[in-house]
Amino acid sequence: MASYVTNKYVALMAAGTVVFASDTIKALLLLSSASPNQDVNFLDEIEASEVTVSGYSRQTLANKSVTEDDANNQVEFSSDNLAFGTLVTGETARYVAFFKDTGVAATSPVLAIDDFTATPTNGSTFTLSPNSDGWFKGTT
Amino acid sequence: MDLKLNLKGLLSKKKAKAKAVAEEAVPEPAEAVPEPIVIVTGAPVAPSSPGGFVDYYHRETGAHVQAVQRLKAFRLYTDAGESAGEAGDYWVRPTNGPPRVVKRESFESQFERGS
């Protein structure tokens, strides 16, 4: 399992353009065939690899939080669980990507990506839960 | 002759009825119900952090929250503001409402861990 913040997010965070706790942050699932990396800038660069099975929809993060953990020299970004709906069989999801939604894919910056185990949709609900250090974190 | 024929007829009817009952008794194959998929994912957990959020329930009202006990000091920033926790305090996520820090003694006196 890997989790990383994009270079774009660090730059926009420094510029004050993205404020995680108050901006509209959304998440999308990417297929196992995708190969995202830290150089991704905007949503339009990755959405071609988005899950498309019936029942799926992007989710808005609720109850977002940013935790400054001095003991571990890290800052953790988290929210409530993400319930993507009841996804019919037919595709394999592997990544979840977080982005600030501007309403336009070409200007919606991708903040971070989590790589979880490749998981085939099975006709049931598909839920992601952040671990105790959040969806992603920045270390100092 | 007629009696024999009638007896045969009765036996045939009984056999047919028994067969029908047997067929009815065979249960239809159950439709497989897929298991819900729940994946815990995210940032690699630091060694000093506990595993993940756990379900807790209010001892009196039964209200459900998810919480994680932090072993070291931390600060939590949300839309609702900033709060600081000491080692042992809980980071609590109510079903409705923003996450918040709750002192260890207060939390443990009100909530019990779900089974």
Side-chain angles (χ1 to χ4, degrees), chain A residues 1-3 21-23 63-72 74 76-81 96 114-117 119-137, chain B residues 33-53 66 68-83 91 93-100:
Chain A
M1 182 175 67
S3 163
S22 56
D23 283 339
N63 290 326
K64 300 187 297 296
S65 62
V66 178
T67 306
E68 179 184 334
D69 185 345
D70 290 335
N72 293 309
Q74 62 188 30
E76 304 146 8
F77 301 78
S78 194
S79 76
D80 285 356
N81 292 350
V96 57
D114 285 351
D115 177 357
F116 52 86
T117 306
T119 307
T121 57
N122 69 352
S124 187
T125 54
F126 196 107
T127 302
L128 296 181
S129 180
N131 65 34
S132 59
D133 279 6
W135 296 115
F136 53 92
K137 65 185 178 185
Chain B
V33 179
E35 287 289 321
I37 296 171
V38 180
I39 300 168
V40 178
T41 185
V45 178
S48 62
S49 300
F53 285 91
Q66 285 189 311
V68 61
Q69 186 178 24
R70 306 309 297 258
L71 301 181
K72 296 185 177 179
F74 64 101
R75 304 185 80 82
L76 183 69
Y77 302 88
T78 69
D79 277 349
E82 174 190 347
S83 53
W91 171 7
R93 296 192 308 190
T95 304
N96 295 306
R100 63 180 187 270

Side-chain angles (χ1 to χ4, degrees), chain B residues 1 20 29-31 52-53 56-57 60 76 78 84-85 87-88 105:
Chain B
M1 192 66 175
E31 195 170 317
F53 285 91
Y56 287 88
Y57 296 89
E60 293 175 4
L76 183 69
T78 69
E105 297 74 18

Side-chain angles (χ1 to χ4, degrees), chain A:
Chain A
M1 182 175 67
S3 163
Y4 48 83
V5 173
T6 63
N7 300 329
K8 175 62 71 179
Y9 182 30
V10 176
L12 295 179
M13 196 188 315
T17 310
V18 176
V19 181
F20 183 83
S22 56
D23 283 339
T24 298
I25 309 296
K26 293 186 177 181
L28 72 160
L29 292 175
L30 299 178
L31 299 168
S32 58
S33 56
S35 53
N37 59 48
Q38 286 175 290
D39 300 338
V40 168
N41 293 304
F42 297 100
L43 180 60
D44 63 341
E45 296 169 34
I46 58 172
E47 62 182 355
S49 299
E50 187 173 8
V51 165
T52 59
V53 292
S54 178
Y56 165 79
S57 63
R58 296 175 184 176
Q59 295 300 310
T60 301
L61 274 62
N63 290 326
K64 300 187 297 296
S65 62
V66 178
T67 306
E68 179 184 334
D69 185 345
D70 290 335
N72 293 309
N73 296 325
Q74 62 188 30
V75 178
E76 304 146 8
F77 301 78
S78 194
S79 76
D80 285 356
N81 292 350
L82 293 168
F84 285 94
T86 300
L87 311 190
V88 303
T89 57
E91 289 185 331
T92 299
R94 176 172 167 178
Y95 307 92
V96 57
F98 302 90
F99 66 98
K100 173 183 174 176
D101 187 19
T102 65
V104 179
T107 62
S108 294
V110 177
L111 312 183
I113 295 169
D114 285 351
D115 177 357
F116 52 86
T117 306
T119 307
T121 57
N122 69 352
S124 187
T125 54
F126 196 107
T127 302
L128 296 181
S129 180
N131 65 34
S132 59
D133 279 6
W135 296 115
F136 53 92
K137 65 185 178 185
T139 55
T140 54

